[in-house]
Amino acid sequence: MPFFSTNDGKRLYFEDSGSGRPVLCLAGLTRNSRDFSFLAPHMTDWRMIAMDYRGRGQSEHDSDHGNYSLLRESQDVIDLLDHLDLDQVTVIGTSRGGLIAMTLATTHPKRLAAVVLNDVGPVFNPSGIAKIMEYVGKQPVSKTYDEAAHALQHMMGPQFPGISLERWRQMAEFQNQETTEGLTLRYDPALRTALLEQAAAGAIPDMWIFFEALHDIPTGVIRGENSDLLSAQTLAEMQNRHPGLISATVPDRGHVPFLDEPQSLGVIREVLDAA
């Protein structure tokens, strides 16, 4: 399996498939490269690269949980690009991945050919953050993938009406590992401690400055109609500040769209054409 080493010696996992111009897929906070399984069949004309951040998926955990930060994870992305000898990529960033993309726009703008932000912007609804903190770092109560699928369907159903139990089971597999003793997280639970400590230290910067660094980079935004993290008002302000912004709102989706919806694919293709 492909791994690379970061400049501080961590061994991180990545996937690299297809051919064509490179697209780097960056997952959500607690998720991993499997996050893009539903998008992959639609990317046959592109070289699709996805990585597991440190402490997630198959990547090495960090004994210093302070390194579970946007700046460190952004540097890990640059280390991967250097490992692959890629001068520039288009980034599709889901939630946390979008924040990393905005960070890269401020620190390494020339490495970005274009950016797609999946249900994330410079402002986060407090209710969405609270919902994330309800589960992050806590071991699953469900004992099997089937139990977890039913739990996800019950919890997420109001935001994602009509989604099949089969898809929720896939999501349960992406996010958890089934063992003889039950399910365990596919990420380091210390991520919760890192988030709490960063919040207590006031470490979250003004993300509008980071978003505005995308001004000269082709950028798209996908928003779930029922999102509790990215509001319609924030998206409107993003459009005001980035006149060329390509955007779409996906009906019957919350945080986050799966990226195989027609509206999501429309934004992605338009941004890729503009790159």
Side-chain angles (χ1 to χ4, degrees), residues 132-212:
I132 290 170
M133 293 309 298
E134 285 177 5
Y135 70 80
V136 67
K138 298 180 180 179
Q139 292 296 340
V141 175
S142 301
K143 298 300 182 183
T144 67
Y145 289 141
D146 287 338
E147 285 183 26
H150 283 283
L152 281 171
Q153 188 177 55
H154 175 75
M155 179 176 67
M156 304 298 290
Q159 286 187 321
F160 292 81
I163 298 300
S164 69
L165 185 62
E166 179 185 3
R167 175 154 292 200
W168 289 125
R169 193 184 193 283
Q170 289 175 289
M171 295 300 296
E173 292 182 26
F174 295 167
Q175 298 171 27
N176 305 286
Q177 176 68 48
E178 195 172 50
T179 73
T180 55
E181 298 179 355
L183 298 183
T184 59
L185 299 173
R186 288 192 188 272
Y187 64 90
D188 186 352
L191 181 60
R192 179 181 183 85
T193 305
L195 295 176
L196 291 172
E197 290 181 356
Q198 290 162 17
I204 300 176
D206 177 5
M207 291 303 297
W208 280 114
I209 298 173
F210 290 65
F211 173 74
E212 288 169 356

Side-chain angles (χ1 to χ4, degrees), residues 44 46 65 107 130 155 162 177 200 205 208 218 226 239 241 243:
T44 55
W46 300 82
H65 58 255
T107 59
M155 179 176 67
Q177 176 68 48
W208 280 114
N226 303 324
Q239 291 168 322
R241 299 196 190 199

Side-chain angles (χ1 to χ4, degrees), residues 33-92:
S33 52
R34 295 188 179 189
D35 227 17
F36 300 93
S37 298
F38 306 122
L39 172 63
H42 303 275
M43 298 291 289
T44 55
D45 293 334
W46 300 82
R47 178 182 176 186
M48 188 171 174
I49 304 162
M51 67 178 290
D52 291 352
Y53 308 134
R54 61 179 61 207
R56 282 79 140 192
Q58 299 180 65
S59 288
E60 183 180 357
H61 290 193
D62 198 318
S63 58
D64 180 0
H65 58 255
N67 284 328
Y68 297 142
S69 68
L70 285 177
L71 285 176
R72 179 62 256 183
E73 290 162 13
S74 298
Q75 181 57 50
D76 292 344
V77 170
I78 295 300
D79 291 343
L80 173 59
L81 297 186
D82 290 344
H83 172 77
L84 295 173
D85 291 324
L86 291 173
D87 293 331
Q88 197 174 60
V89 293
T90 292
V91 170
I92 300 175

